[in-house]
Amino acid sequence: GCASHNSITQVDQDDLVFCSERGFHSLIATANFGDFEGAFLSKDIQQTFNANFVKQRLQFCWGVYLSSINSVAFAVTDSGISSNYNNTIWLYNFEQKAWYNWPNIPCSSMCISSDDDEKRIFLGGITSRVAKTANGLNYDVSEAGSNTAIMFKIKTGIIYVDQQPYLTHQNAELGFEK
């Protein structure tokens, strides 16, 4: 069974992809292979689906298909980020047969709409704002209409010599010249 009425999306003219409590499925693949186990689209991310997706929030899952990137996108709740709203978009590319995700994106709803130059995914946020994807910009537009920088943080791990955190070396031991 489909998790919700928004978690099913039409792919081109001949397929439907939907989210259930067990994973993501293709109706054509199910019809061709005859059972759900072999037809799971989410087979490669099943461990993540089982461990991180908040099952009680699958009823709020939202799916769309964007033909220009040949991918179906699903907004889901990842428990590692928050469990109060959809916060990650998982996408499946049919040509590559591979999953990828856009993490930490609040998304209560999604739709495909034509913009000035192309069709793209528009996201309905948790603050009643609409976001446009694939716009090539590094800024957001505030409620007042001004450009606001998108802030981000980059964190690297601690790098230890010889992977030993408590080991120290003298310069001569490492072969450095003074």
Side-chain angles (χ1 to χ4, degrees):
C2 190
S4 76
H5 66 283
N6 291 320
S7 67
I8 187 167
T9 187
Q10 181 177 347
V11 177
D12 292 328
Q13 297 297 316
D14 57 355
D15 197 5
L16 295 172
V17 174
F18 62 96
C19 177
S20 79
E21 290 186 11
R22 296 178 55 207
F24 296 102
H25 313 273
S26 162
L27 195 59
I28 282 186
T30 301
N32 287 342
F33 297 110
D35 65 351
F36 281 122
E37 285 304 318
F40 270 160
L41 287 181
S42 55
K43 183 176 84 172
D44 292 339
I45 62 164
Q46 199 61 40
Q47 184 175 357
T48 301
F49 185 92
N50 291 336
N52 294 16
F53 290 20
V54 179
K55 303 305 181 288
Q56 297 86 346
R57 291 210 30 92
L58 285 179
Q59 64 182 321
F60 302 107
C61 176
W62 205 286
V64 296
Y65 172 70
L66 184 57
S67 60
S68 61
I69 61 172
N70 199 17
S71 294
V72 64
F74 289 96
V76 297
T77 304
D78 184 327
S79 62
I81 298 172
S82 171
S83 60
N84 298 326
Y85 56 86
N86 289 344
N87 53 33
T88 301
I89 299 175
W90 279 89
L91 300 99
Y92 180 79
N93 182 279
F94 289 97
E95 184 178 343
Q96 302 295 322
K97 296 185 182 353
W99 286 94
Y100 57 106
N101 70 34
W102 298 341
N104 206 16
I105 297 179
C107 179
S108 296
S109 61
M110 293 191 294
C111 72
I112 304 297
S113 186
S114 294
D115 197 14
D116 295 334
D117 55 346
E118 64 182 288
K119 285 190 175 191
R120 64 182 79 239
I121 301 173
F122 284 84
L123 311 172
I126 60 172
T127 60
S128 302
R129 297 195 49 212
V130 175
K132 177 168 69 169
T133 64
N135 59 11
L137 304 175
N138 294 325
Y139 60 84
D140 192 8
V141 179
S142 71
E143 291 178 21
S146 61
N147 295 343
T148 305
I150 297 172
M151 303 304 293
F152 64 93
K153 294 180 182 178
I154 297 175
K155 183 176 181 179
T156 62
I158 299 172
I159 300 171
Y160 299 109
V161 176
D162 297 333
Q163 298 178 357
Q164 302 294 323
Y166 301 107
L167 185 63
T168 59
H169 290 283
Q170 298 296 324
N171 288 340
E173 289 179 301
L174 293 174
F176 294 121
E177 293 184 26
K178 293 185 181 184

